[in-house]
Amino acid sequence: MKGLLIKDFFCLKKQLINYGFIIVGVIVISVMFVLSYNFGNIHAGFTEMIDSGESTETGITMFAVNALLLFMLIPIACTGDITNLFVDDENASFYKVASALPVSISRRVACRFIAGYLFIAIGMAVDLIMSILLSSLTSIVSLGKFCGVIITFASIMMMYISLFILLVYILGKGKTTYANVIPLLVGIVVYVCPNYSRLRAFLMDSDDNALMEVYHRTTEFMFHRSYILLIAAMIISGGAYFMAVRIAERKRGVA
């Protein structure tokens, strides 16, 4: 099983190299943004906008919070691309070799999930380092709220990867594109449904307050109720794993 995990990370070697450059870039840009927001050109520009009445202090703060949330999202969002785990195995016909290994199907499937979750854990570690760094430089978002955001994004990616892996087993070889898109569509539907009336009011009546209400509900959820998503992610991941094992057992040689 350890060997399979090492093999999976070799499949992700290209992503890990690119990921390293992305991490360095995001950390540098986020720190530069916070410093400029506090003392530099961004601070001067926002101060001028407030003095001239073009914007309010609340609007400026909201913009800064959104920027920080975007910086936090990038390291974890990049961990969602594990397509090569399956594409490389297909190209190398590893499925023929896998059935001969002294490793059960349940463990081979578990390796897929563990590899994806370890990739997410790397993103969480990067985000935690960024959170400690950024929270020490600004009071816009506290460390506690940053941690809530990390749990939210990690839970979403955990659900996405679990559904992606399950769909790969359901749809079969050569269908990784569909397996990537379907969880995204499901996520959009799940998010839009409880906010449908407010989003419709914004689109039909140009009600800015409706969109702001959706925004505030979303950020408050991330800051204070991220544990709900974590529980949902654990349930969905467990269910996806057991379903994937059953499908792999029926389709001999696909794991």
Side-chain angles (χ1 to χ4, degrees):
M1 189 170 178
K2 180 180 178 181
L4 289 176
L5 283 173
I6 294 174
K7 184 271 297 177
D8 285 344
F9 270 89
F10 270 109
C11 292
L12 295 173
K13 182 179 178 180
K14 183 177 180 180
Q15 282 96 319
L16 288 171
I17 294 173
N18 294 335
Y19 188 56
F21 289 109
I22 292 172
I23 288 172
V24 173
V26 170
I27 292 176
V28 171
I29 293 173
S30 62
V31 171
M32 289 177 63
F33 172 82
V34 170
L35 292 176
S36 184
Y37 177 82
N38 288 336
F39 313 108
N41 293 334
I42 295 178
H43 174 78
F46 284 162
T47 300
E48 184 177 345
M49 290 174 66
I50 293 173
D51 293 340
S52 64
E54 294 180 25
S55 184
T56 63
E57 187 173 348
T58 301
I60 297 300
T61 301
M62 187 181 301
F63 172 83
V65 170
N66 288 337
L68 293 179
L69 292 180
L70 178 61
F71 293 138
M72 298 294 296
L73 172 63
I74 293 174
I76 291 185
C78 291
T79 64
D81 184 13
I82 60 169
T83 306
N84 279 3
L85 288 181
F86 296 90
V87 173
D88 287 351
D89 281 356
E90 290 177 14
N91 294 336
S93 298
F94 182 76
Y95 297 101
K96 297 178 182 178
V97 179
S99 59
L101 295 175
V103 181
S104 65
I105 290 178
S106 61
R107 288 192 173 187
R108 296 204 299 267
V109 175
C111 284
R112 301 295 196 188
F113 282 84
I114 293 172
Y117 296 160
L118 287 176
F119 206 7
I120 295 174
I122 294 173
M124 291 181 67
V126 173
D127 265 357
L128 183 58
I129 294 172
M130 286 180 57
S131 299
I132 295 172
L133 185 61
L134 296 178
S135 62
S136 66
L137 296 174
T138 181
S139 59
I140 299 173
V141 181
S142 65
L143 180 59
K145 290 182 177 180
F146 269 130
C147 290
V149 173
I150 294 173
I151 294 173
T152 299
F153 290 158
S155 299
I156 292 173
M157 292 311 303
M158 189 174 175
M159 289 186 281
Y160 171 80
I161 286 179
S162 298
L163 292 176
F164 166 74
I165 295 174
L166 174 61
L167 286 168
V168 169
Y169 284 109
I170 292 175
L171 299 176
K173 300 177 183 178
K175 302 293 180 62
T176 53
T177 300
Y178 297 106
N180 270 315
V181 172
I182 293 174
L184 291 175
L185 296 178
V186 171
I188 292 172
V189 171
V190 170
Y191 179 76
V192 168
C193 283
N195 297 303
Y196 175 76
S197 59
R198 296 175 181 83
L199 293 173
R200 184 175 183 275
F202 171 74
L203 294 174
M204 300 296 293
D205 305 323
S206 298
D207 185 358
D208 293 336
N209 291 330
L211 187 62
M212 290 303 299
E213 187 176 347
V214 172
Y215 168 80
H216 287 303
R217 287 184 61 184
T218 302
T219 53
E220 283 299 308
F221 185 91
M222 288 192 293
F223 291 152
H224 303 295
R225 293 190 290 172
S226 56
Y227 65 89
I228 296 176
L229 270 183
L230 179 60
I231 294 172
M234 294 172 65
I235 294 172
I236 291 174
S237 298
Y241 167 72
F242 287 112
M243 290 177 65
V245 170
R246 291 296 299 274
I247 294 168
E249 288 173 345
R250 292 182 181 181
K251 299 181 178 180
R252 292 284 179 175
V254 301

